[in-house]
Amino acid sequence: MTAARMLAVAVDCRQPDLLAEFWAAAIGGGKTRTWTDSHGTTYRQVDFEDGPALLFQPVPEDKAGKNRLHLDLAPVEQDQRAEVERLVMLGAKVLEDPADDPWIVLADPEGNEFCVLPPR
């Protein structure tokens, strides 16, 4: 039996260009491209060499409620706090910094939650 391969994580958003640029800088190493489907909808996609792409698809409505799916990031070259500071400089916002948990919850420029964990 053959299993499926994950190609992309799709994110509904109001500003695909803004989010693609944020996430390309946040994760690093991604190449951003734009493409249009057969209905005339234009998408922004960030492709990574070693993982699924991030696909930003435009929708008319704002985000409402907590994400049902979120990304967990871990810094590669610095500690967790320094990585959080870097992401905030890129446009993220700290939502929670629980003392008893190893993660810090942030939101991207459109309010999508994600976590930063300690280096692994």
Side-chain angles (χ1 to χ4, degrees):
M1 177 186 251
T2 303
R5 180 171 62 101
M6 186 183 314
L7 296 178
V9 174
V11 179
D12 289 354
C13 59
R14 298 280 310 243
Q15 300 178 49
D17 294 340
L18 173 70
L19 283 191
E21 296 305 318
F22 171 81
W23 283 104
I27 296 174
K31 294 183 181 176
T32 303
R33 65 186 176 101
T34 302
W35 57 274
T36 303
D37 69 14
S38 63
H39 304 284
T41 302
T42 300
Y43 301 80
R44 286 295 300 268
Q45 184 167 321
V46 183
D47 294 312
F48 299 96
E49 244 181 69
D50 60 350
L54 289 174
L55 173 66
F56 299 96
Q57 52 191 20
V59 295
E61 66 275 355
D62 288 329
K63 178 185 175 291
K66 185 179 182 298
N67 297 358
R68 298 285 305 256
L69 172 75
H70 72 265
L71 302 179
D72 285 343
L73 306 181
V76 176
E77 298 179 358
Q78 54 192 352
D79 70 17
Q80 181 184 30
R81 297 272 171 207
E83 180 64 8
V84 168
E85 288 177 22
R86 184 183 77 83
L87 293 166
V88 167
M89 294 293 291
L90 292 174
K93 178 181 174 185
V94 176
L95 298 180
E96 294 179 34
D97 188 356
D100 297 333
D101 294 320
W103 55 79
I104 299 171
V105 182
L106 285 81
D108 72 14
E110 281 205 12
N112 300 300
E113 298 90 359
F114 65 99
C115 293
V116 177
L117 290 86
R120 304 226 165 156

